[in-house]
Amino acid sequence: AQKVTQAQTEISVVEKEDVTLDCVYETRDTTYYLFWYKQPPSGELVFLIRRNSFDEQNEISGRYSWNFQKSTSSFNFTITASQVVDSAVYFCALSEATAAGNKLTFGGGTRVLVKP
Amino acid sequence: KAGVTQTPRYLIKTRGQQVTLSCSPISGHRSVSWYQQTPGQGLQFLFEYFSETQRNKGNFPGRFSGRQFSNSRSEMNVSTLELGDSALYLCASSLGGSGGVYEQYFGPGTRLTVT
């Protein structure tokens, strides 16, 4: 069975600090996909990134960066120079490619609070 | 392109009643998934529909059901409501298809309160 663990339930930082969110996953499949979503107070989940298990290159998008390490089953997310608008709950999710269709297994989420 | 829309946004029901929630996916998306979000259980997958067929199902009782129409719009129904069904119900759409896993785009959710 697949499982996603986000050990940090809440992180509080001051604006302009960097913040790293940890994500550890478990799966028996060799082909799988990892995702990060942001859930602002409005409630709608916003897609941030999708990464497949064969692509271990790190990715940077503006102030966001992701570090995928298959050896440790981790897919960590860093926000550089955080801003108040980054305050949200962030979810890491996993989808196994062998399963029929699309089914996301989510971690418990990490609440990020960025103080001005 | 318009995003995923869900109606209604808020709903209050009484135990024992039934409820139907609606979801309109992004134009061109053929897969619709439903998730339940509660403070205790987090985000849990309910089911997924693709081309009017249920393609995947989570571990929820049979009181939870859904369907998809030919225009890809989807509805989910919960019968004999229980207090524990109070949750934010999120709908997500994706391109779907076989041979790949696509990113899912979520709607704003329907907040269901059961009293």
Side-chain angles (χ1 to χ4, degrees), chain A residues 37 39 44 50 100-102 104, chain B residues 35 37 48 56 94 101 104:
Chain A
Y37 282 88
Q39 188 175 41
E44 187 168 336
R50 178 187 72 160
N102 296 303
L104 289 171
Chain B
Y35 294 83
Q37 186 175 25
E48 182 211 8
N56 221 331
S94 69
V101 173
Q104 296 182 35

Side-chain angles (χ1 to χ4, degrees), chain B residues 68-87:
Chain B
Q68 186 180 35
F69 302 95
S70 57
N71 60 359
S72 294
R73 191 176 69 84
S74 176
E75 288 181 347
M76 70 162 278
N77 184 77
V78 188
S79 62
T80 319
L81 284 166
E82 300 177 0
L83 293 178
D85 297 333
S86 294

Side-chain angles (χ1 to χ4, degrees), chain A residues 20-59:
Chain A
T20 295
L21 312 181
D22 298 333
C23 172
V24 173
Y25 62 91
E26 295 175 29
T27 177
R28 293 178 185 165
D29 280 13
T30 55
T31 304
Y32 51 88
Y33 292 77
L34 295 163
F35 301 80
W36 276 95
Y37 282 88
K38 172 183 180 181
Q39 188 175 41
S42 59
E44 187 168 336
L45 281 164
V46 177
F47 167 75
L48 296 178
I49 189 172
R50 178 187 72 160
R51 175 54 52 90
N52 74 54
S53 52
F54 297 107
D55 182 2
E56 290 193 68
Q57 279 193 338
N58 292 330
E59 182 157 338

Side-chain angles (χ1 to χ4, degrees), chain A residues 2-22:
Chain A
Q2 52 189 15
K3 184 180 177 182
V4 177
T5 302
Q6 294 180 253
Q8 307 146 307
T9 53
E10 185 165 325
I11 300 176
S12 182
V13 297
V14 176
E15 214 170 12
K16 297 196 176 118
E17 287 185 340
D18 297 347
V19 55
T20 295
L21 312 181
D22 298 333

Side-chain angles (χ1 to χ4, degrees), chain A residues 78-98:
Chain A
T78 298
I79 303 172
T80 302
S82 60
Q83 299 176 1
V84 172
V85 293
D86 296 326
S87 296
V89 181
Y90 291 85
F91 291 94
C92 180
L94 166 72
S95 184
E96 293 172 337
T98 53

